[in-house]
Each structure stands twice: as C-alpha cells, then as structure tokens.
C-alpha cells in the first residue's frame, strides 16, 4: 500500500480456514481502501492455486505476487514497471533483494554471514535470474500461471515456463526488498526440512534426478561412514578428519570472501557448522519427500 507507483490494485486471496484475526484485519483494510484493496475469500486451496485465483481476478496488464515474508522498498513496483515497459518482449522482471533477520544470537549472526556470502558470489560470478515475482499478464496467460500441483519451487517452475515460451527477463540489481528470515534456529531448520520435502515434486516434473542424487550424495556418504565407524576405528578417524577438513576449508573461503564485510566476525568461524546442519535437515527432507513420491507412485496418485 506504500508503493510509489500509483496505478495499482491490491487483491488478497483469503484462506477461509484461517483461525486468527486475519479476517477482521482484512475487512478493516478493505473498508479503509475502497476501490484499491479487495479481498477474495476462498476455501483452503494451497498457495499456487490461490495465486492463480488472484491474478485471474485482477485487471492489470502487470501482475506482482507479494509474499508475506518479504518487505518491499517503496519504489519496488515503480522500478519493475519501468523495466517491463522498456521491452515488449520482456515477460517478467527479477528484482534482487537482501535478508532481514528478525532474531538474535547464533541464527542472526550466521544469516548475516550468509547474506554477505551471497553478495560476494554475485559480485564474483554475476547473477543470472532463476525466479521473478513481477510478470506481464500476457505471459501468465500464455503458460497458464502457476502449476497448482507444486507447493515448493513453484516460482522457479513458472519462471522456466515463461522463459521457455520465448519471453526475455528483466533484471533490477541491488537491494529492492528484504526477505524476512525465521526468528530462531529451530524455525529455520524446520523450514529447510519442509522445503526439501516439498521440492521433490518440482524435481520429478523436470526430471532433475541427477541433481537430486548429487544433492544427497554427501548425506549418503556421511551415513555410510558413521555406520562403518561403529566397528572400524580407522573409519571413525577418517570421518572426523573429513569433517575437520570441511570446516577448515569452508572457514578459509569465508575469511577470503567476507571478512571485511561482516560486523560480528566470530560467526564466520561458526558458519560452517550452521551450513552443515542446514544441509542435513534439507537433505533429510529430500529423502522424506522422495519416499512419499515413490509411495504415491505405487498407489497411482500424484504429488508429495
């Protein structure tokens, strides 16, 4: 509502299953911003279907999908529209952002290192968009919008189909929005686990099994080493040595890339452990999602 771009409408697809005060808040906003803010109530349908319902209920030539865990700078829409208007063959525009950490302590410190590392990687190798949240309506109609069978990586899937249909992608760099990170470590790990589990449907749709295998390979190797370590002391020493080498090499790389950019430098030394445990939760989530996918295949049903 605070966006500087004036010619806009806001549509909120309200899940009637909500049990908090969401409905009362939306009713108040709708009454306060008549003609601009519109609420569409629907039974629980999942986010991909809800987004499709929302953009098909809209009237604009450009559609922006706003997420609840993001904070958008005032000129976000203005920049996006200007970029799209610069090229009629452009189907969507990607605006890069930064992290917003709401918690304190270990998670906040590690997320700061993560953000600086992401920025350093972009500066080193450049940034190629793989997602977008602002689309030309024509492009959405051509590809049919979001795939309603997906509940994870649905944004990447839509992006791939739009670019596959021949549309170009616009890019607006620097920080244009903030992605709100979980407030505590457990919430972060739970999100990593669920994200890994739900992503299997996207992997199956695009046949990215080799990518999944490479993602899970370190986990399988680690499990095998741990099992063998029970009866072989040499395997136990190999496992410990491998983990120490991983931590040391990761720390050296972090020092080289982000030492001068991180405020609380002690978290540079803790980040490898944070990265390892995050990977473990995501990988186990992938394993869970893969097991559910195979079970559904046997039953003749779809999805995870």
């Amino acid at each position: 509502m605070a966006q500087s771009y004036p010619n806009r409408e806001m549509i909120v697809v309200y899940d009637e299953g909500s049990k908090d005060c969401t409905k009362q808040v939306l009713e108040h906003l709708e009454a306060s911003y008549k003609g601009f803010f519109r609420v569409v109530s629907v039974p629980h349908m999942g986010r991909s279907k809800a987004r499709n319902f929302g953009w098909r209920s809209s009237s604009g030539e450009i559609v922006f999908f706003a997420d609840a865990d993001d904070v958008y700078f005032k000129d976000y829409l203005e920049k996006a529209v200007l970029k799209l208007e610069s090229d009629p063959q452009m189907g969507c525009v990607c605006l890069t952002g930064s992290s917003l950490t709401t918690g304190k302590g270990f998670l906040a410190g590690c997320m700061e290192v993560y953000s600086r590392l992401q920025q350093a990687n972009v500066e080193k190798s450049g940034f190629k968009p793989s997602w977008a949240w602002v689309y030309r309506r024509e492009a959405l109609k051509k590809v049919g919008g979001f795939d309603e069978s997906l509940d994870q990586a649905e944004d990447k899937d839509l992006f791939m189909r739009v670019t596959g249909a021949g549309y170009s992608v616009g890019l607006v760099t620097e920080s244009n929005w903030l992605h709100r990170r979980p407030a505590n470590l457990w919430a972060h790990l739970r999100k990593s686990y669920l994200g890994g589990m739900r992503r299997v449907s996207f992997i199956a749709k695009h046949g990215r099994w080799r990518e999944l295998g490479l993602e899970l390979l370190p986990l399988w190797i680690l499990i095998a080493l741990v099992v063998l370590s029970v009866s072989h002391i040499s395997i136990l020493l190999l496992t410990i040595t491998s983990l120490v080498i991983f931590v040391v090499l990761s720390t050296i790389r972090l020092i080289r890339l982000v030492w001068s950019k991180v405020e609380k430098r002690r978290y540079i030394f803790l980040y490898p452990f944070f990265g390892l445990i995050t990977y473990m939760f995501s990988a186990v989530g992938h394993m869970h999602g893969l097991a559910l996918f195979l079970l559904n295949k046997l039953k003749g049903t779809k999805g995870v």
Side-chain angles (χ1 to χ4, degrees):
M1 290 185 289
Q3 289 295 304
S4 59
Y5 185 77
N7 185 22
R8 67 198 190 279
E9 63 178 342
M10 176 179 283
I11 297 174
V12 177
V13 183
Y14 167 64
D15 178 358
E16 293 177 351
S18 298
K19 297 180 180 179
D20 54 16
C21 62
T22 298
K23 185 176 182 180
Q24 288 75 20
V25 171
L26 291 177
E27 288 174 347
H28 172 73
L29 289 170
E30 191 172 28
S32 302
Y33 297 92
K34 290 181 179 179
F36 160 63
F37 190 102
R38 182 155 58 96
V39 179
V40 181
S41 296
V42 296
H44 182 63
M45 55 172 53
R47 59 189 183 189
S48 291
K49 192 172 183 179
R51 286 172 180 148
N52 283 339
F53 196 90
W55 75 261
R56 287 167 181 155
S57 302
S58 69
S59 57
E61 295 178 9
I62 296 173
V63 182
F64 166 41
F65 298 97
D67 266 9
D69 57 356
D70 295 327
V71 178
Y72 302 94
F73 294 173
K74 189 175 181 179
D75 58 352
Y76 182 100
L77 268 182
E78 188 174 352
K79 288 181 176 180
V81 173
L82 283 173
K83 193 68 177 180
L84 278 174
E85 289 180 340
S86 68
D87 182 358
Q89 296 302 314
M90 193 178 292
C92 58
V93 58
C94 172
L95 292 87
T96 55
S98 305
S99 293
L100 173 62
T101 305
T102 55
K104 297 180 180 179
F106 177 74
L107 179 64
C110 288
M111 289 310 304
E112 181 196 1
V113 176
Y114 170 81
S115 295
R116 299 304 182 189
L117 182 60
Q118 293 291 96
Q119 292 171 5
N121 287 331
V122 168
E123 292 170 3
K124 184 178 179 181
S125 57
F127 177 75
K128 293 183 179 180
S130 61
W131 47 265
W133 288 111
V134 182
Y135 284 86
R136 199 180 295 276
R137 186 184 195 86
E138 167 196 323
L140 290 173
K141 290 178 70 175
K142 188 168 185 177
V143 302
F146 287 93
D147 182 341
E148 297 178 1
S149 69
L150 298 179
D151 194 39
Q152 183 72 22
E154 72 285 350
D155 54 333
K156 188 178 183 70
D157 173 77
L158 176 61
F159 179 90
M160 291 170 64
R161 287 186 287 114
V162 167
T163 54
Y167 291 98
S168 62
V169 182
L171 176 62
V172 180
T173 56
E174 299 181 350
S175 183
N176 300 288
W177 54 281
L178 300 175
H179 181 59
R180 187 182 288 108
R181 300 294 180 175
N184 58 70
L185 181 60
W186 173 244
H188 166 75
L189 295 176
R190 183 175 182 274
K191 185 176 182 179
S192 299
Y193 176 86
L194 292 174
M197 183 181 73
R198 293 167 178 165
R199 194 177 182 86
V200 174
S201 291
F202 168 81
I203 292 170
K205 176 179 178 179
H206 294 278
R208 296 191 169 192
W209 298 113
R210 182 175 180 274
E211 179 184 298
L212 178 61
L214 292 174
E215 176 77 15
L216 295 176
L217 185 59
L219 174 65
W220 293 335
I221 292 174
L222 185 59
I223 291 174
L225 289 173
V226 170
V227 171
L228 292 172
S229 297
V230 175
S231 55
H232 297 81
I233 188 66
S234 59
I235 301 296
L236 176 60
L237 292 175
L238 175 62
T239 304
I240 294 173
T241 302
S242 299
L243 290 173
V244 170
I245 291 173
F246 164 78
V247 170
V248 171
L249 292 178
S250 297
T251 303
I252 292 173
R253 180 173 181 268
L254 287 168
I255 291 173
R256 182 169 58 86
L257 290 174
V258 301
W259 181 259
S260 62
K261 302 176 182 179
V262 175
E263 182 179 349
K264 299 178 180 178
R265 292 173 177 170
R266 65 181 180 274
Y267 288 106
I268 289 177
F269 301 95
L270 296 174
Y271 185 82
F273 300 98
F274 171 77
L276 182 60
I277 191 172
T278 298
Y279 163 76
M280 293 293 290
F281 271 76
S282 176
V284 172
H286 274 116
M287 291 289 290
H288 185 185
L290 181 60
L292 290 175
F293 175 80
L294 294 174
L295 183 62
N296 288 333
K297 275 287 185 181
L298 292 173
K299 292 180 177 179
T301 56
K302 296 182 179 180
V304 174

